[in-house]
Coordinates of all heavy atoms in Angstrom, one line a residue:
M1 N 0.8 -1.2 0.0 CA 0.0 0.1 0.0 C 0.9 1.3 -0.1 O 1.8 1.4 0.8 CB -0.9 0.0 1.2 CG -1.8 1.1 1.4 SD -2.8 0.9 2.7 CE -4.0 2.1 2.5
T2 N 0.6 2.1 -0.9 CA 1.5 3.3 -1.0 C 0.8 4.5 -0.3 O -0.5 4.6 -0.3 CB 1.7 3.8 -2.4 OG1 0.4 4.0 -3.1 CG2 2.5 2.6 -3.2
T3 N 1.5 5.3 0.3 CA 0.9 6.5 1.0 C 1.3 7.7 0.3 O 2.4 7.8 -0.1 CB 1.4 6.6 2.4 OG1 2.8 6.7 2.5 CG2 1.0 5.3 3.3
R4 N 0.3 8.6 0.1 CA 0.6 9.8 -0.6 C 0.8 10.8 0.4 O 0.2 11.0 1.4 CB -0.6 10.2 -1.5 CG -0.8 9.4 -2.7 CD -1.9 9.9 -3.5 NE -2.4 11.4 -3.3 CZ -3.3 11.9 -3.9 NH1 -3.8 11.3 -4.9 NH2 -3.7 13.1 -3.6
T5 N 1.7 11.6 0.1 CA 2.1 12.8 1.0 C 1.4 14.1 0.4 O 1.6 14.4 -0.8 CB 3.6 13.1 1.1 OG1 4.0 13.4 -0.2 CG2 4.3 11.9 1.7
L6 N 0.6 14.7 1.3 CA -0.1 15.8 0.9 C 0.7 17.0 1.0 O 1.3 17.2 2.0 CB -1.5 15.9 1.5 CG -2.5 14.8 1.3 CD1 -3.7 15.0 2.3 CD2 -2.8 14.8 -0.1
I7 N 0.7 18.0 0.0 CA 1.4 19.2 0.1 C 0.5 20.1 1.1 O -0.7 20.3 0.8 CB 1.6 19.9 -1.2 CG1 2.3 18.9 -2.0 CG2 2.2 21.2 -1.1 CD1 2.4 19.4 -3.5
P8 N 1.1 20.6 2.1 CA 0.3 21.4 3.1 C 0.0 22.8 2.3 O 0.8 23.2 1.6 CB 1.1 21.6 4.3 CG 2.6 21.5 3.8 CD 2.5 20.4 2.7
I9 N -1.1 23.3 2.7 CA -1.5 24.6 2.3 C -0.4 25.6 2.9 O -0.5 25.8 4.2 CB -2.9 25.0 2.5 CG1 -3.8 24.0 1.7 CG2 -3.2 26.5 2.1 CD1 -5.3 24.3 2.1
Q10 N 0.1 26.5 2.1 CA 1.1 27.4 2.6 C 0.5 28.6 3.2 O -0.7 28.9 2.7 CB 2.2 27.8 1.6 CG 3.0 26.6 1.2 CD 4.0 26.9 0.0 OE1 4.0 28.0 -0.4 NE2 4.6 25.8 -0.4
R11 N 1.1 29.4 3.9 CA 0.4 30.6 4.6 C 0.8 31.9 3.9 O 0.8 33.0 4.6 CB 0.9 30.7 6.0 CG 0.5 29.5 6.9 CD 0.8 29.6 8.2 NE 0.4 28.3 8.9 CZ 0.7 28.1 10.1 NH1 1.4 28.9 10.9 NH2 0.1 27.1 10.8
D12 N 1.0 32.0 2.6 CA 1.3 33.1 2.0 C -0.1 33.7 1.5 O -0.3 33.9 0.3 CB 2.2 33.0 0.8 CG 1.8 31.9 -0.1 OD1 0.9 31.1 0.3 OD2 2.5 31.7 -1.3
W13 N -0.9 34.1 2.4 CA -2.2 34.6 2.2 C -2.2 36.0 1.5 O -3.2 36.4 0.9 CB -3.0 34.5 3.4 CG -2.5 35.6 4.6 CD1 -1.6 35.2 5.6 CD2 -2.8 36.9 4.7 NE1 -1.4 36.2 6.3 CE2 -2.0 37.2 5.9 CE3 -3.6 37.8 4.1 CZ2 -2.1 38.6 6.3 CZ3 -3.6 39.1 4.7 CH2 -3.0 39.4 5.8
I14 N -1.2 36.7 1.8 CA -1.2 38.1 1.1 C -1.0 37.9 -0.5 O -1.8 38.6 -1.2 CB 0.0 39.0 1.6 CG1 -0.2 39.3 3.1 CG2 0.3 40.2 0.7 CD1 0.9 40.0 3.8
S15 N -0.2 37.1 -0.9 CA -0.1 36.8 -2.3 C -1.3 36.3 -2.8 O -1.7 36.7 -4.0 CB 1.2 35.8 -2.6 OG 1.3 35.6 -3.8
K16 N -2.0 35.2 -2.1 CA -3.2 34.6 -2.7 C -4.2 35.7 -2.7 O -5.0 35.8 -3.7 CB -3.6 33.6 -1.7 CG -2.8 32.3 -1.8 CD -3.2 31.4 -0.8 CE -2.2 30.2 -0.8 NZ -2.6 29.2 0.2
T17 N -4.4 36.6 -1.7 CA -5.4 37.6 -1.7 C -5.2 38.6 -2.8 O -6.2 39.0 -3.4 CB -5.3 38.4 -0.3 OG1 -5.5 37.5 0.7 CG2 -6.5 39.4 -0.2
L18 N -4.0 39.0 -3.1 CA -3.6 40.0 -4.3 C -4.1 39.4 -5.5 O -4.6 40.0 -6.3 CB -2.2 40.4 -4.2 CG -1.9 41.5 -3.2 CD1 -0.4 41.8 -3.0 CD2 -2.7 42.7 -3.3
A19 N -3.7 38.1 -5.7 CA -4.0 37.3 -6.8 C -5.5 37.3 -7.1 O -6.1 37.5 -8.2 CB -3.4 36.0 -6.9
G20 N -6.2 36.9 -6.1 CA -7.7 36.9 -6.2 C -8.3 38.2 -6.4 O -9.3 38.3 -7.3
F21 N -7.8 39.2 -5.9 CA -8.4 40.6 -6.0 C -8.1 41.1 -7.3 O -9.1 41.6 -8.0 CB -7.8 41.5 -4.9 CG -8.5 42.9 -4.9 CD1 -9.7 43.1 -4.3 CD2 -7.8 43.9 -5.4 CE1 -10.3 44.3 -4.4 CE2 -8.3 45.3 -5.4 CZ -9.6 45.4 -4.9
L22 N -6.9 41.2 -7.8 CA -6.5 41.7 -9.1 C -7.0 40.8 -10.2 O -7.6 41.3 -11.2 CB -5.1 41.9 -9.1 CG -4.5 42.9 -8.2 CD1 -3.0 43.2 -8.2 CD2 -5.1 44.3 -8.3
L23 N -6.5 39.5 -10.2 CA -6.9 38.6 -11.4 C -8.3 38.2 -11.3 O -8.9 37.8 -12.4 CB -6.0 37.5 -11.4 CG -4.4 37.9 -11.6 CD1 -3.6 36.7 -11.6 CD2 -4.4 38.5 -13.0
G24 N -9.0 38.2 -10.1 CA -10.3 38.0 -10.1 C -11.2 39.1 -10.7 O -12.3 38.8 -11.3
A25 N -10.8 40.3 -10.5 CA -11.4 41.4 -11.2 C -11.2 41.3 -12.8 O -12.2 41.5 -13.6 CB -10.8 42.8 -10.8
V26 N -10.0 40.8 -13.3 CA -9.9 40.6 -14.7 C -10.9 39.5 -15.2 O -11.6 39.6 -16.2 CB -8.5 40.3 -15.0 CG1 -8.3 39.9 -16.5 CG2 -7.6 41.6 -14.7
L27 N -10.9 38.4 -14.4 CA -11.8 37.4 -14.8 C -13.3 37.8 -14.6 O -14.2 37.4 -15.6 CB -11.6 36.1 -13.9 CG -10.3 35.4 -14.1 CD1 -10.0 34.4 -13.0 CD2 -10.4 34.8 -15.5
G28 N -13.6 38.5 -13.7 CA -15.0 39.0 -13.5 C -15.5 39.9 -14.8 O -16.5 39.7 -15.4
F29 N -14.6 40.9 -15.0 CA -15.0 41.8 -16.0 C -14.9 41.1 -17.3 O -15.6 41.5 -18.4 CB -14.2 43.1 -15.9 CG -14.4 43.9 -14.7 CD1 -13.3 44.4 -13.9 CD2 -15.7 44.2 -14.4 CE1 -13.6 45.1 -12.8 CE2 -16.0 44.8 -13.1 CZ -14.9 45.3 -12.5
G30 N -13.8 40.2 -17.6 CA -13.7 39.6 -18.8 C -14.9 38.7 -19.1 O -15.4 38.5 -20.3
S31 N -15.3 37.9 -18.1 CA -16.5 36.9 -18.3 C -17.7 37.9 -18.6 O -18.6 37.4 -19.5 CB -16.8 36.1 -17.2 OG -17.0 37.0 -16.0
S32 N -17.8 39.0 -17.9 CA -19.0 39.9 -18.3 C -18.9 40.3 -19.8 O -19.9 40.4 -20.5 CB -19.0 41.1 -17.4 OG -20.0 41.9 -17.8
A33 N -17.7 40.8 -20.3 CA -17.6 41.3 -21.7 C -17.8 40.0 -22.6 O -18.5 40.2 -23.7 CB -16.2 41.7 -21.8
L34 N -17.3 38.9 -22.3 CA -17.6 37.6 -23.2 C -19.0 37.3 -23.2 O -19.5 37.0 -24.3 CB -16.7 36.5 -22.7 CG -16.6 35.3 -23.5 CD1 -15.9 35.7 -24.8 CD2 -15.9 34.2 -22.9
F35 N -19.7 37.4 -22.2 CA -21.1 37.0 -22.1 C -21.9 38.1 -23.0 O -22.7 37.6 -23.7 CB -21.6 37.1 -20.7 CG -23.1 37.1 -20.5 CD1 -23.8 35.8 -20.6 CD2 -24.0 38.2 -20.4 CE1 -25.2 35.7 -20.6 CE2 -25.3 38.1 -20.3 CZ -25.9 36.8 -20.5
S36 N -21.5 39.3 -22.9 CA -22.1 40.2 -23.7 C -21.9 40.2 -25.2 O -22.8 40.4 -26.0 CB -21.8 41.7 -23.3 OG -22.4 42.7 -23.9
L37 N -20.7 39.7 -25.5 CA -20.4 39.4 -26.9 C -21.2 38.2 -27.5 O -21.5 38.2 -28.7 CB -18.9 39.3 -27.1 CG -18.0 40.5 -27.0 CD1 -16.5 40.1 -27.1 CD2 -18.4 41.3 -28.3
L38 N -21.3 37.3 -26.7 CA -21.9 35.9 -27.1 C -23.4 35.9 -27.1 O -24.0 35.0 -27.9 CB -21.2 34.8 -26.4 CG -19.8 34.5 -26.5 CD1 -19.4 33.4 -25.6 CD2 -19.5 34.1 -27.9
C39 N -24.0 36.8 -26.3 CA -25.5 36.7 -26.2 C -26.1 37.9 -26.7 O -26.8 38.7 -26.2 CB -25.8 36.6 -24.7 SG -25.3 35.1 -24.0
T40 N -25.7 38.2 -28.1 CA -26.4 39.4 -28.7 C -27.9 39.3 -29.1 O -28.4 40.4 -29.4 CB -25.6 39.7 -30.0 OG1 -25.6 38.5 -30.9 CG2 -24.1 40.1 -29.6
D41 N -28.4 38.1 -28.9 CA -29.8 37.8 -29.3 C -30.6 38.3 -28.2 O -31.9 38.4 -28.4 CB -30.0 36.5 -29.7 CG -29.6 35.4 -28.7 OD1 -28.7 35.8 -27.9 OD2 -30.1 34.3 -28.7
I42 N -30.1 38.4 -26.9 CA -30.8 38.9 -25.8 C -31.0 40.4 -25.9 O -30.1 41.1 -26.3 CB -30.1 38.5 -24.5 CG1 -30.0 37.0 -24.5 CG2 -31.0 39.0 -23.2 CD1 -29.3 36.5 -23.2
P43 N -32.2 40.9 -25.6 CA -32.3 42.5 -25.6 C -31.3 43.1 -24.7 O -30.9 42.6 -23.7 CB -33.7 42.7 -25.0 CG -34.4 41.4 -25.3 CD -33.4 40.3 -25.3
L44 N -30.9 44.4 -25.1 CA -29.7 45.1 -24.4 C -30.0 45.4 -23.0 O -29.2 45.3 -22.2 CB -29.4 46.3 -25.3 CG -28.3 47.1 -24.5 CD1 -27.0 46.4 -24.6 CD2 -28.1 48.4 -25.3
S45 N -31.4 45.7 -22.7 CA -31.7 46.0 -21.3 C -31.5 44.8 -20.3 O -31.0 44.8 -19.3 CB -33.2 46.5 -21.2 OG -34.1 45.5 -21.6
V46 N -31.8 43.6 -20.9 CA -31.8 42.3 -20.1 C -30.2 41.9 -20.1 O -29.6 41.6 -19.1 CB -32.6 41.2 -20.7 CG1 -32.3 40.0 -19.9 CG2 -33.9 41.6 -20.5
R47 N -29.5 42.0 -21.3 CA -28.2 41.6 -21.4 C -27.2 42.4 -20.6 O -26.3 41.9 -19.8 CB -27.7 41.5 -22.8 CG -26.4 41.1 -23.0 CD -26.1 41.0 -24.6 NE -25.8 42.4 -25.0 CZ -26.3 42.9 -26.2 NH1 -27.0 42.1 -27.0 NH2 -26.0 44.1 -26.5
G48 N -27.6 43.7 -20.5 CA -26.8 44.6 -19.7 C -26.7 44.3 -18.2 O -25.8 44.3 -17.5
Q49 N -28.0 44.0 -17.7 CA -28.2 43.7 -16.3 C -27.5 42.3 -16.0 O -26.9 42.2 -15.0 CB -29.7 43.5 -16.0 CG -30.4 44.8 -15.9 CD -30.0 45.6 -14.6 OE1 -29.8 45.1 -13.5 NE2 -29.6 46.8 -14.9
L50 N -27.7 41.3 -16.9 CA -27.0 40.1 -16.6 C -25.4 40.2 -16.6 O -24.9 39.6 -15.8 CB -27.4 39.0 -17.7 CG -28.8 38.5 -17.6 CD1 -29.4 37.6 -18.7 CD2 -29.1 37.7 -16.2
A51 N -25.0 40.9 -17.4 CA -23.6 41.1 -17.6 C -23.1 41.9 -16.4 O -22.0 41.6 -15.8 CB -23.2 41.9 -18.9
M52 N -23.9 42.8 -16.0 CA -23.4 43.6 -14.8 C -23.4 42.9 -13.5 O -22.5 42.9 -12.8 CB -24.5 44.8 -14.6 CG -24.2 45.7 -13.4 SD -25.3 47.0 -13.2 CE -26.8 46.1 -12.6
W53 N -24.3 41.9 -13.4 CA -24.4 41.1 -12.2 C -23.4 39.9 -12.2 O -23.0 39.3 -11.3 CB -25.8 40.6 -11.8 CG -26.6 41.8 -11.3 CD1 -27.5 42.5 -12.0 CD2 -26.5 42.4 -10.0 NE1 -28.0 43.5 -11.1 CE2 -27.3 43.3 -9.9 CE3 -25.6 42.0 -8.9 CZ2 -27.6 44.1 -8.7 CZ3 -25.8 42.8 -7.8 CH2 -26.8 43.8 -7.7
L54 N -23.0 39.5 -13.5 CA -22.1 38.4 -13.7 C -20.6 38.8 -13.1 O -20.0 37.9 -12.4 CB -22.0 38.0 -15.1 CG -21.1 36.8 -15.4 CD1 -21.5 35.6 -14.8 CD2 -20.9 36.6 -17.0
A55 N -20.2 40.0 -13.3 CA -18.9 40.4 -12.9 C -18.6 40.4 -11.5 O -17.6 39.6 -11.1 CB -18.7 41.9 -13.4
P56 N -19.4 40.8 -10.6 CA -19.1 40.7 -9.2 C -19.3 39.3 -8.6 O -18.7 38.8 -7.7 CB -20.1 41.7 -8.4 CG -21.2 42.0 -9.4 CD -20.5 41.8 -10.8
T57 N -20.2 38.5 -9.2 CA -20.4 37.2 -8.9 C -19.1 36.2 -9.1 O -18.7 35.5 -8.3 CB -21.5 36.5 -9.6 OG1 -22.7 37.3 -9.4 CG2 -21.8 35.1 -9.2
V58 N -18.6 36.5 -10.3 CA -17.4 35.7 -10.7 C -16.1 36.2 -9.8 O -15.4 35.4 -9.3 CB -17.1 35.8 -12.2 CG1 -15.7 35.4 -12.5 CG2 -18.0 35.2 -13.1
W59 N -16.0 37.5 -9.6 CA -15.0 38.2 -8.8 C -15.0 37.5 -7.3 O -14.0 37.1 -6.9 CB -15.2 39.6 -8.8 CG -13.9 40.4 -8.5 CD1 -12.8 39.9 -7.8 CD2 -13.8 41.8 -8.4 NE1 -11.9 40.8 -7.5 CE2 -12.5 42.1 -7.8 CE3 -14.6 42.9 -8.7 CZ2 -12.1 43.3 -7.6 CZ3 -14.2 44.1 -8.6 CH2 -13.0 44.4 -8.0
L60 N -16.2 37.6 -6.7 CA -16.2 37.0 -5.5 C -16.1 35.5 -5.3 O -15.5 35.0 -4.4 CB -17.6 37.5 -4.8 CG -17.8 38.8 -4.5 CD1 -19.3 39.2 -4.0 CD2 -16.9 39.2 -3.5
G61 N -16.5 34.8 -6.4 CA -16.2 33.3 -6.5 C -14.7 33.2 -6.4 O -14.1 32.3 -5.8
V62 N -14.1 33.9 -7.2 CA -12.5 33.7 -7.3 C -11.9 34.1 -6.0 O -10.9 33.4 -5.6 CB -11.9 34.6 -8.6 CG1 -10.4 34.5 -8.5 CG2 -12.4 34.0 -9.8
M63 N -12.4 35.2 -5.5 CA -11.8 35.7 -4.2 C -12.0 34.7 -3.1 O -11.1 34.4 -2.2 CB -12.4 37.0 -3.8 CG -12.0 38.2 -4.4 SD -10.2 38.7 -3.9 CE -10.5 39.0 -2.2
S64 N -13.0 33.9 -3.2 CA -13.3 33.0 -2.0 C -12.6 31.6 -2.3 O -12.3 31.0 -1.3 CB -14.8 32.8 -1.8 OG -15.4 32.1 -3.0
G65 N -12.3 31.4 -3.7 CA -11.7 30.1 -3.9 C -10.1 30.1 -4.0 O -9.5 29.1 -4.3
V66 N -9.6 31.5 -4.0 CA -8.1 31.5 -4.2 C -7.4 30.9 -3.0 O -6.2 30.5 -3.2 CB -7.8 33.0 -4.4 CG1 -7.8 33.8 -3.1 CG2 -6.4 33.2 -5.1
Y67 N -8.0 30.7 -1.9 CA -7.3 30.1 -0.7 C -7.1 28.6 -0.8 O -6.4 28.0 0.1 CB -7.9 30.6 0.6 CG -8.1 32.2 0.7 CD1 -9.1 32.8 0.5 CD2 -6.7 32.8 1.0 CE1 -9.0 34.1 0.6 CE2 -6.7 34.2 1.0 CZ -8.0 34.9 0.9 OH -8.0 36.3 0.9
F68 N -7.7 28.0 -1.7 CA -7.6 26.6 -1.9 C -6.2 26.2 -2.8 O -5.8 25.1 -2.8 CB -8.8 25.9 -2.6 CG -9.9 25.9 -1.7 CD1 -11.0 26.7 -1.9 CD2 -10.0 25.0 -0.7 CE1 -12.2 26.7 -1.2 CE2 -11.1 25.0 0.3 CZ -12.2 25.8 -0.1
F69 N -5.5 27.2 -3.3 CA -4.4 27.0 -4.0 C -3.3 26.7 -3.0 O -3.3 27.3 -1.8 CB -4.0 28.2 -4.9 CG -4.7 28.4 -6.0 CD1 -5.7 29.4 -6.2 CD2 -4.4 27.6 -7.1 CE1 -6.5 29.5 -7.3 CE2 -5.1 27.7 -8.4 CZ -6.1 28.7 -8.4
T70 N -2.4 25.8 -3.2 CA -1.4 25.5 -2.3 C -0.3 26.6 -2.1 O 0.3 26.5 -1.0 CB -0.6 24.2 -2.7 OG1 -0.1 24.3 -4.0 CG2 -1.6 23.0 -2.7
S71 N -0.2 27.5 -2.9 CA 0.7 28.6 -2.8 C 0.4 29.8 -3.6 O -0.5 29.7 -4.4 CB 2.2 28.3 -3.2 OG 2.2 28.1 -4.7
G72 N 0.8 30.9 -3.3 CA 0.5 32.2 -3.9 C 1.0 32.2 -5.3 O 0.4 32.6 -6.2
R73 N 2.0 31.5 -5.6 CA 2.7 31.5 -6.9 C 1.8 30.6 -7.8 O 1.4 31.0 -8.9 CB 4.1 30.8 -6.9 CG 4.6 30.6 -8.1 CD 6.0 30.1 -8.0 NE 6.8 30.2 -9.3 CZ 7.2 29.0 -9.9 NH1 7.0 27.9 -9.3 NH2 7.8 29.1 -11.1
R74 N 1.2 29.5 -7.3 CA 0.3 28.7 -8.1 C -1.1 29.6 -8.4 O -1.6 29.4 -9.4 CB 0.0 27.4 -7.3 CG 0.9 26.4 -7.6 CD 0.4 25.1 -6.9 NE 1.3 24.0 -6.9 CZ 1.4 23.1 -7.7 NH1 0.5 23.0 -8.7 NH2 2.3 22.1 -7.6
A75 N -1.5 30.3 -7.5 CA -2.7 31.1 -7.6 C -2.4 32.2 -8.7 O -3.3 32.4 -9.6 CB -3.0 31.9 -6.3
W76 N -1.2 32.8 -8.7 CA -0.9 33.9 -9.7 C -0.8 33.1 -11.1 O -1.3 33.7 -12.2 CB 0.4 34.5 -9.4 CG 0.1 35.6 -8.4 CD1 0.4 35.6 -7.1 CD2 -0.3 37.0 -8.7 NE1 0.0 36.8 -6.6 CE2 -0.4 37.8 -7.5 CE3 -0.7 37.7 -9.9 CZ2 -0.8 38.9 -7.4 CZ3 -1.1 39.0 -9.8 CH2 -1.1 39.7 -8.7
L77 N -0.2 32.0 -11.2 CA 0.0 31.3 -12.5 C -1.3 30.9 -13.1 O -1.5 31.1 -14.2 CB 1.0 30.1 -12.3 CG 2.4 30.6 -12.2 CD1 3.2 29.3 -11.9 CD2 3.0 31.3 -13.3
W78 N -2.1 30.1 -12.3 CA -3.4 29.7 -12.8 C -4.3 30.8 -13.1 O -4.9 30.9 -14.2 CB -4.0 28.7 -11.8 CG -3.4 27.3 -11.9 CD1 -2.5 26.8 -11.1 CD2 -3.8 26.4 -12.9 NE1 -2.2 25.5 -11.5 CE2 -2.9 25.2 -12.6 CE3 -4.6 26.2 -13.9 CZ2 -3.1 24.1 -13.4 CZ3 -4.6 25.2 -14.7 CH2 -3.8 24.2 -14.4
L79 N -4.6 31.7 -12.1 CA -5.5 32.9 -12.5 C -4.9 33.7 -13.6 O -5.7 34.3 -14.3 CB -5.6 33.6 -11.3 CG -6.5 32.8 -10.0 CD1 -6.6 33.8 -8.9 CD2 -7.8 32.4 -10.5
G80 N -3.7 33.9 -13.7 CA -3.0 34.7 -14.7 C -3.3 34.1 -16.1 O -3.6 34.7 -17.1
G81 N -3.0 32.7 -16.2 CA -3.3 32.0 -17.3 C -4.8 32.0 -17.8 O -5.0 32.2 -18.9
A82 N -5.7 31.9 -16.8 CA -7.1 31.9 -17.2 C -7.5 33.4 -17.6 O -8.3 33.5 -18.5 CB -7.9 31.6 -15.9
S83 N -6.9 34.3 -17.0 CA -7.2 35.7 -17.3 C -6.8 36.1 -18.7 O -7.5 36.7 -19.5 CB -6.5 36.7 -16.4 OG -7.1 36.6 -15.1
G84 N -5.5 35.6 -19.1 CA -5.0 35.8 -20.3 C -5.8 35.1 -21.4 O -6.0 35.7 -22.5
L85 N -6.2 33.9 -21.1 CA -7.0 33.2 -22.1 C -8.3 33.9 -22.3 O -8.8 34.0 -23.5 CB -7.2 31.8 -21.6 CG -8.0 30.9 -22.5 CD1 -7.2 30.5 -23.7 CD2 -8.2 29.5 -21.7
L86 N -8.9 34.4 -21.3 CA -10.2 35.0 -21.4 C -10.1 36.4 -22.2 O -11.0 36.6 -23.0 CB -10.8 35.2 -20.0 CG -12.3 35.8 -20.0 CD1 -13.2 34.9 -20.6 CD2 -12.7 36.1 -18.5
V87 N -9.2 37.1 -21.8 CA -9.0 38.4 -22.5 C -8.6 38.2 -23.9 O -9.0 38.8 -24.8 CB -7.8 39.2 -21.8 CG1 -7.4 40.4 -22.6 CG2 -8.3 39.6 -20.6
G88 N -7.8 37.2 -24.2 CA -7.4 36.8 -25.7 C -8.6 36.4 -26.5 O -8.8 36.8 -27.6
L89 N -9.5 35.5 -25.8 CA -10.6 35.1 -26.4 C -11.7 36.2 -26.7 O -12.2 36.4 -27.9 CB -11.4 34.0 -25.7 CG -12.6 33.3 -26.2 CD1 -12.2 32.6 -27.5 CD2 -13.2 32.4 -25.2
T90 N -11.8 37.1 -25.8 CA -12.6 38.3 -25.9 C -12.1 39.2 -27.1 O -12.9 39.6 -28.0 CB -12.7 39.0 -24.6 OG1 -13.1 38.1 -23.6 CG2 -13.8 40.2 -24.9
F91 N -10.8 39.4 -27.2 CA -10.2 40.2 -28.3 C -10.4 39.6 -29.5 O -10.8 40.3 -30.5 CB -8.7 40.4 -27.9 CG -8.1 41.1 -29.0 CD1 -8.2 42.5 -29.0 CD2 -7.2 40.6 -29.9 CE1 -7.6 43.3 -30.0 CE2 -6.5 41.3 -30.8 CZ -6.7 42.7 -30.9
L92 N -10.2 38.2 -29.7 CA -10.5 37.6 -31.0 C -12.0 37.6 -31.5 O -12.1 37.7 -32.6 CB -9.9 36.1 -30.8 CG -8.4 36.0 -30.8 CD1 -8.2 34.5 -30.6 CD2 -7.8 36.4 -32.2
L93 N -12.8 37.5 -30.5 CA -14.1 37.5 -30.9 C -14.7 39.0 -31.3 O -15.5 39.2 -32.1 CB -15.1 37.0 -29.8 CG -15.1 35.5 -29.5 CD1 -15.9 35.1 -28.3 CD2 -15.6 34.8 -30.7
R94 N -14.1 40.0 -30.7 CA -14.4 41.4 -31.1 C -13.8 41.7 -32.5 O -14.4 42.5 -33.2 CB -13.7 42.4 -30.0 CG -14.6 42.3 -28.7 CD -14.3 43.5 -27.9 NE -14.7 44.6 -28.6 CZ -14.9 45.8 -28.0 NH1 -14.5 46.0 -26.8 NH2 -15.4 46.8 -28.7
Q95 N -12.7 41.0 -32.8 CA -12.2 41.3 -34.2 C -13.0 40.6 -35.3 O -12.9 41.0 -36.4 CB -10.7 40.8 -34.3 CG -9.9 41.6 -33.2 CD -9.7 42.9 -33.5 OE1 -9.8 43.5 -34.5 NE2 -9.8 43.7 -32.3
A96 N -13.7 39.6 -35.0 CA -14.5 38.8 -36.0 C -15.6 39.5 -36.3 O -16.2 40.3 -35.8 CB -14.7 37.3 -35.4

């Protein structure tokens, strides 16, 4: 029987908090922009409200989940990659 050693959660909460705050904002606003771009068949009054409420929901979700990363470095890398992918996808869809 093999035993797995679990990596303990490190205590670099400042780095995790900053990653969640800054990159969570990028993910929240980016998801709002992507939603607005992809759902053009919804009337603007409804789409605007949905996009507006999507941004803080995603942002707060990222802020609360960022502490499950094992280190601040991992949080910055994963959230940075997701933010870059989301911003790039939004940019490409706006060009089309």
